[in-house]
Amino acid sequence: MNIYVLLKKTFDTEEKIVVSNGQIEDDGAEFIINPYDEYAVEEAIKQRDAHGGEVTVVTVGDEDSEKQLRTALAMGADKAVLINTEDDLEEGDQFTTTKILEAFFEDKEVDLILAGNVAIDEASGQVGPRLAERLGMPYVTTITSLEIDGDTVNVEKDVEGDVEKVLTSLPLLVTCQQGLNDPRYPSLPGIMKAKKKPLEELEIDDLDLDEDELEPKTKTVDIFLPPEKEAGRVLEGEVEDQVKELVSLLKNESKVL
Amino acid sequence: MDFELTKEQSMIRKMVRDFAEDVIRPRAVEMDINAEFPQDIFEQMGELGLLGIPFPEKYGGSGGDTLSYAIAVEEIGRICGGTGLSYAAAVSLGASPIYYFGTEEQKEKYLTPLAQGKSLGAFGLTEPNAGSDAGGTKTTAVEDGNDYIINGEKCFITNASFAKTIIVTAVTGKNDSGKNIISAIIVPTDTEGVTITSNYDKMGVRASDTAEVVLENVRVPKENLLGDPQKGFKQFLYTLDGGRISIAALGLGIAQASLEKALEYAKERKQFNQPISNFQAIQFKLADMSMEVELARNMVYKSAWLKDQNKPFTKESAYAKLYATETAFRAANQAIQIHGGYGYMREYEVERYLRDAKLLEIGEGTSEIQRLVIARQLGC
Ligand SMILES: Cc1cc2nc3c(=O)[nH]c(=O)nc-3n(C[C@H](O)[C@H](O)[C@H](O)COP(=O)(O)OP(=O)(O)OC[C@H]3O[C@@H](n4cnc5c(N)ncnc54)[C@H](O)[C@@H]3O)c2cc1C
Ligand SMILES: Cc1cc2nc3c(=O)[nH]c(=O)nc-3n(C[C@H](O)[C@H](O)[C@H](O)COP(=O)(O)OP(=O)(O)OC[C@H]3O[C@@H](n4cnc5c(N)ncnc54)[C@H](O)[C@@H]3O)c2cc1C
């Protein structure tokens, strides 16, 4: 099977994030594999081990994304592709990424593409489905179980806490949800071997794309941190008075009514 | 000069940190209370290749360098000093001597399972009357046909209760000038006459196993002698030089953990209507801790780097061990101070850091012995 994983480098949202001049500060931010993409890598390795074939991890990113790709290789992926847009693109959105990936997949024989359910930075959850649409293959999002038997695929999908069972076929694109598996730690021998595994670097030129075609369709107006949570307040007195006070506070102080 | 870690080194740091956070952290307090050696955690560490970092693949290792190994010890020590000590002792003392001095057969037979994490190693040097003064070793190994017969007593031996092999030091004869020749011999723990008891009630590193080993007419084949029969003493001095880097790394991990806990607490704890991190008295403590942690890190990494470059590292590993372990003790002590009364309580963990750090100033050469080593290197 030819298995591909779409992987994104994101900043670690559990670490401190600093925003200045409407931009997230890169210096000092910790970068990780988007956690949902880790499920995708793990699932890809498992499916390959069960059915044979090869796992290729693909990222659209910059030079530093190599670290996340190497980590996926250390976990057990076979090959990695870095589509480096650092020098060519000022900005991009889900449209840009999808367009680049579409060009990348144009000449590829694909059985299965796995992506994360969302990236924890922008959390749009769009790249997977949009790519499937462009490639004309079926897709299932937020999967929690994947069983492949020949060309037949049984998928369980998380729908707001309930499970939906989907019967579909290869080639297929899925996006992975928490609960699908427990991503492994890259082992020491894995880390040492990752150094020797192939990592191909491409630029948009190599995909016959140019800057103009990739202009984002959305505009980022502002980036800001959520306001600091303030201390709560407990109202006291008779219930009736409390309700009156609450309504008045909602109207006059926080102005939500 | 290049202070950047390689990609592999930073991947190893991330992996070990994630593993220690997910698997060891939730159990660290319990393991300390119950003085419980986490055998299952060591099995997982073995599967991840952590016990074989500095050994080549052909002996079941991961083919990493000393610096990667030091980083792994630091990250485990940051979460649990006891687990870190057993890890450092297994690799630096239990397995490394076989790698440095063993024959091809010894490496295949004894190093491979240790590097793969299928068994745990130990090193028995200390005796009731021979601690800092290893030359005072009383254990003897007498030749008898194709065997050695070993008699003696070893104390404070890390991992011995869970080890399949212990490298034991023993007097094998006298040299021309009448001094004892001390050699290292691999003793499988299931040999008749080996009794291992673990009754110590320790102040710290309580998750680590520490045992007494009594050897009574223990018969092992002569081929179990490690390295040059005349140079046993020199060999274990080299082994201890390497071991110091790992104990230094463990100290670094505890110091780092102390700093992180203290800083986080100081920013949250309010007294006199403000976070105590606003007070200069607290700020200066944190500034000193942070500086010392970084200095210790530089020394630990440098000594590991020297070893990886096959350059002399005796003096530097003594610097690293002395400075990093004393930094760990100071940092843990200040972390308790910054936590006030809470710091004195087990659940805040910083009091455990202090108890764990104390061992590091004693084991694998006391602070005084490190100063002696340095002074000798200076030509005194
Ligand atoms: C938890 C734990 C784990 C251990 N694990 C191992 C192990 O795996 N293998 C092993 O072989 N040993 C192990 N040890 C033993 C450890 O290495 C010794 O305790 C240490 O070397 C000190 O020896 P000692 O306890 O006999 O103290 P002593 O040598 O009696 O020292 C007592 C004091 O005298 C000082 N002193 C001694 N000589 C001098 C001198 N010449 N000049 C100045 N001061 C001096 C020392 O610095 C110390 O302060 C372990 C010990 C502990 C507590
Ligand atoms: C075993 C034990 C027994 C105890 N027994 C009693 C008892 O019988 N009765 C009782 O009332 N209490 C008792 N205590 C409480 C003890 O007195 C307090 O823990 C102590 O006063 C410190 O207060 P704290 O723990 O709230 O620390 P904090 O006041 O929060 O101090 C934390 C750190 O901030 C520093 N700090 C605070 N303010 C400043 C400042 N303005 N400038 C610079 N540094 C500052 C402190 O020095 C400390 O290092 C006991 C505590 C323990 C651990």
Side-chain angles (χ1 to χ4, degrees):
Chain A
M1 271 215 295
N2 283 330
I3 307 174
Y4 287 85
V5 177
L6 310 182
L7 181 147
K8 184 178 187 184
K9 174 188 80 174
T10 58
F11 43 81
D12 190 345
T13 50
E14 283 176 19
E15 299 286 325
K16 193 172 173 164
I17 289 170
V18 180
V19 174
S20 64
N21 301 327
Q23 291 285 341
I24 293 161
E25 291 266 6
D26 276 2
D27 291 351
E30 281 288 320
F31 288 95
I32 55 171
I33 297 180
N34 175 40
Y36 291 98
D37 301 350
E38 277 188 1
Y39 301 122
V41 175
E42 175 66 31
E43 196 60 27
I45 295 167
K46 278 184 158 170
Q47 296 295 343
R48 177 206 58 200
D49 290 349
H51 304 286
E54 209 173 54
V55 174
T56 307
V57 189
V58 187
T59 196
V60 177
D62 54 29
E63 203 188 353
D64 293 338
S65 312
E66 184 181 335
K67 194 171 155 208
Q68 283 67 37
L69 288 177
R70 291 275 175 213
T71 302
L73 292 173
M75 287 171 76
D78 301 289
K79 295 201 278 188
V81 179
L82 166 59
I83 305 173
N84 188 342
T85 59
E86 204 169 1
D87 296 335
D88 298 317
L89 301 181
E90 286 280 309
E91 46 182 6
D93 66 359
Q94 293 76 13
F95 165 80
T96 316
T97 307
T98 309
K99 184 96 183 159
I100 293 170
L101 289 171
E102 183 191 353
F104 170 79
F105 279 107
E106 202 165 43
D107 59 350
K108 304 283 183 295
E109 291 258 335
V110 178
D111 296 300
L112 180 65
I113 301 177
L114 298 110
N117 161 34
V118 292
I120 57 168
D121 48 6
E122 285 161 353
S124 78
Q126 289 197 20
V127 171
R130 283 171 82 155
L131 178 65
E133 192 67 36
R134 303 295 309 173
L135 297 177
M137 60 167 72
Y139 69 88
V140 186
T141 57
T142 58
I143 70 159
T144 53
S145 162
L146 179 68
E147 274 172 35
I148 301 173
D149 183 8
D151 274 348
T152 314
V153 186
N154 274 293
V155 181
E156 285 183 11
K157 168 184 163 63
D158 169 45
V159 272
E160 313 271 318
D162 284 328
V163 178
E164 195 173 291
K165 297 190 177 189
V166 183
L167 181 64
T168 176
S169 63
L170 296 179
L172 174 71
L173 184 147
V174 292
T175 74
C176 303
Q177 171 68 310
Q178 191 171 8
L180 176 62
N181 53 41
D182 279 323
R184 69 194 67 192
Y185 300 102
S187 73
L188 250 298
I191 290 172
M192 302 313 288
K193 271 184 217 135
K195 202 166 27 178
K196 294 169 208 144
K197 289 184 178 174
L199 190 150
E200 186 186 4
E201 193 171 330
L202 301 173
E203 296 194 0
I204 55 171
D205 262 8
D206 303 310
L207 298 170
D208 289 330
L209 291 168
D210 68 46
E211 233 183 290
D212 301 341
E213 307 172 71
L214 296 171
E215 285 212 6
K217 300 281 188 202
T218 55
K219 212 164 124 186
T220 301
V221 182
D222 195 8
I223 293 180
F224 53 92
L225 290 171
E228 289 257 346
K229 207 173 158 205
E230 285 173 35
R233 197 161 135 193
V234 180
L235 303 179
E236 277 165 26
E238 293 294 319
V239 175
E240 202 167 314
D241 297 336
Q242 283 189 41
V243 173
K244 277 190 190 140
E245 196 183 345
L246 180 62
V247 171
S248 133
L249 284 172
L250 289 173
K251 249 189 195 150
N252 304 325
E253 202 165 283
S254 53
K255 301 192 163 61
V256 293
L257 294 182
Chain B
M1 272 281 216
D2 184 359
F3 285 97
E4 275 311 323
L5 297 181
T6 64
K7 283 201 183 68
E8 287 71 35
Q9 287 157 352
S10 53
M11 269 157 77
I12 290 169
R13 176 188 299 285
K14 169 138 191 1
M15 181 273 272
V16 181
R17 177 169 294 204
D18 289 347
F19 174 79
E21 290 280 357
D22 299 346
V23 178
I24 306 178
R25 189 189 285 287
R27 286 167 56 185
V29 172
E30 281 296 303
M31 293 192 305
D32 175 56
I33 294 174
N34 302 330
E36 165 206 336
F37 176 77
Q39 219 175 346
D40 60 320
I41 290 179
F42 274 83
E43 279 164 22
Q44 290 182 64
M45 286 165 62
E47 282 161 21
L48 288 171
L50 290 177
L51 286 141
I53 296 184
F55 310 120
E57 280 171 45
K58 75 167 172 175
Y59 304 122
S62 310
D65 51 15
T66 310
L67 183 49
S68 299
Y69 164 56
I71 289 169
V73 175
E74 175 190 349
E75 289 300 331
I76 304 243
R78 181 176 160 268
I79 303 297
C80 175
T83 307
L85 180 70
S86 275
Y87 173 44
V91 176
S92 290
L93 301 182
S96 291
I98 307 178
Y99 175 53
Y100 300 146
F101 309 115
T103 61
E104 205 50 42
E105 291 77 48
Q106 288 170 338
K107 287 182 196 173
E108 267 165 37
K109 186 166 174 191
Y110 296 111
L111 177 58
T112 304
L114 294 174
Q116 291 171 334
K118 294 197 171 132
S119 68
L120 206 60
F123 187 72
L125 172 65
T126 306
E127 300 184 359
N129 294 307
S132 300
D133 180 16
T137 299
K138 294 278 184 303
T139 297
T140 55
V142 179
E143 291 185 32
D144 181 59
N146 286 328
D147 299 330
Y148 280 113
I149 299 179
I150 309 172
N151 277 288
E153 198 181 319
K154 299 287 174 182
C155 61
F156 307 143
I157 308 307
T158 303
N159 295 342
S161 319
F162 296 88
K164 289 218 175 91
T165 52
I166 306 179
I167 299 170
V168 168
T169 53
V171 177
T172 46
K174 286 195 191 302
N175 66 11
D176 297 341
S177 49
K179 274 180 107 180
N180 281 342
I181 299 172
I182 299 174
S183 300
I185 302 170
I186 303 170
V187 178
T189 48
D190 58 4
T191 315
E192 205 182 314
V194 178
T195 313
I196 299 170
T197 36
S198 160
N199 286 329
Y200 299 114
D201 191 6
K202 297 197 294 291
M203 170 186 182
V205 291
R206 289 169 61 80
S208 178
D209 170 63
T210 315
E212 197 177 19
V213 181
V214 177
L215 304 133
E216 242 178 331
N217 292 320
V218 173
R219 189 179 274 275
V220 296
K222 267 188 186 165
E223 70 206 30
N224 281 20
L225 186 99
L226 203 50
D228 187 326
Q230 302 297 320
K231 293 193 187 136
F233 201 74
K234 261 207 166 128
Q235 288 175 11
F236 71 66
L237 288 186
Y238 182 83
T239 302
L240 293 183
D241 282 347
R244 275 174 198 140
I245 299 175
S246 68
I247 299 302
L250 184 51
L252 172 58
I254 295 176
Q256 175 70 39
S258 303
L259 169 64
E260 287 172 24
K261 285 257 187 221
L263 180 60
E264 192 186 316
Y265 186 82
K267 285 180 177 165
E268 273 169 18
R269 174 70 171 172
K270 287 204 174 98
Q271 290 289 280
F272 304 98
N273 293 320
Q274 50 191 313
I276 59 171
S277 63
N278 283 2
F279 303 131
Q280 200 177 52
I282 299 293
Q283 290 173 354
F284 279 18
K285 283 187 204 298
L286 290 165
D288 285 345
M289 287 161 83
S290 166
M291 170 183 72
E292 291 186 21
V293 167
E294 192 57 22
L295 293 177
R297 180 168 291 115
N298 280 341
M299 200 61 240
V300 174
Y301 289 9
K302 182 176 178 188
S303 59
W305 178 85
L306 285 169
K307 182 166 190 289
D308 284 331
Q309 305 301 313
N310 293 315
K311 291 179 192 285
F313 63 96
T314 302
K315 188 173 60 182
E316 289 77 5
S317 64
Y319 290 160
K321 202 256 178 191
L322 177 59
Y323 188 71
T325 61
E326 295 196 351
T327 292
F329 188 83
R330 277 192 298 272
N333 192 28
Q334 294 295 18
I336 298 174
Q337 192 61 23
I338 290 171
H339 280 71
Y342 298 95
Y344 200 72
M345 303 300 149
R346 195 192 296 263
E347 99 176 84
Y348 286 80
E349 298 194 83
V350 285
E351 62 82 36
R352 186 182 82 238
Y353 298 165
L354 185 82
R355 290 185 284 110
D356 289 352
K358 187 63 222 174
L359 180 270
L360 308 184
E361 297 181 330
I362 298 169
E364 289 198 45
T366 62
S367 288
E368 290 74 21
I369 296 302
Q370 303 309 318
R371 289 182 168 91
L372 268 182
V373 169
I374 295 166
R376 284 211 185 115
Q377 291 288 318
L378 296 175
C380 298

